[in-house]
Amino acid sequence: MKSSSSAAVKRDDLIQIRASAATKAILNRAAALRGQKLSEFMLDSARTRAEETILDQRLISLDDEAYKAFLAMLDAPAKPDKAVRTRMSRKPAWER
């Protein structure tokens, strides 16, 4: 996630990494496709993956009443309304 002030952030820490020639070639190709330098692409990709990993580890706590309500919703999901049933019965665009 880039912030509008990311250009103002001083980048003074060094991260070193070793990779095979094949891995470097793939990374270079992907960076070029995005119009980025290799280091920019790697840093953006690594940061995105790190943020996703951290967000995946969030713990959601519920009190007893909210937990019971949550379980009840899982046990009895809402029935699809007419609009949802209509959409689900249409052929996908790639099959038309």
Side-chain angles (χ1 to χ4, degrees):
M1 293 181 196
K2 284 187 177 180
S3 66
S4 58
S5 63
S6 62
V9 175
K10 186 176 178 186
R11 294 184 178 189
D12 57 358
D13 270 350
L14 179 66
I15 300 173
Q16 294 182 351
I17 188 168
R18 293 195 180 275
S20 69
T23 296
K24 185 176 179 184
I26 290 170
L27 293 169
N28 271 320
R29 182 174 179 198
L33 289 169
R34 288 224 174 147
Q36 292 179 307
K37 295 178 183 175
L38 176 61
S39 59
E40 291 172 328
F41 176 80
M42 290 179 62
L43 189 58
D44 287 348
S45 299
R47 183 181 174 103
T48 298
R49 186 67 183 261
E51 288 171 350
E52 289 170 357
T53 300
I54 291 167
L55 290 172
D56 283 346
Q57 298 304 310
R58 293 260 169 122
L59 175 66
I60 299 172
S61 298
L62 302 172
D63 60 31
D64 286 341
E65 186 176 323
Y67 180 69
K68 288 176 185 174
F70 175 70
L71 289 179
M73 286 187 289
L74 290 177
D75 290 338
K79 295 197 175 12
D81 62 12
K82 183 179 178 181
V84 171
R85 286 192 307 270
T86 300
R87 279 190 214 106
M88 295 301 291
S89 65
R90 287 191 316 209
K91 274 190 169 183
W94 59 87
E95 290 182 4
R96 290 184 212 154

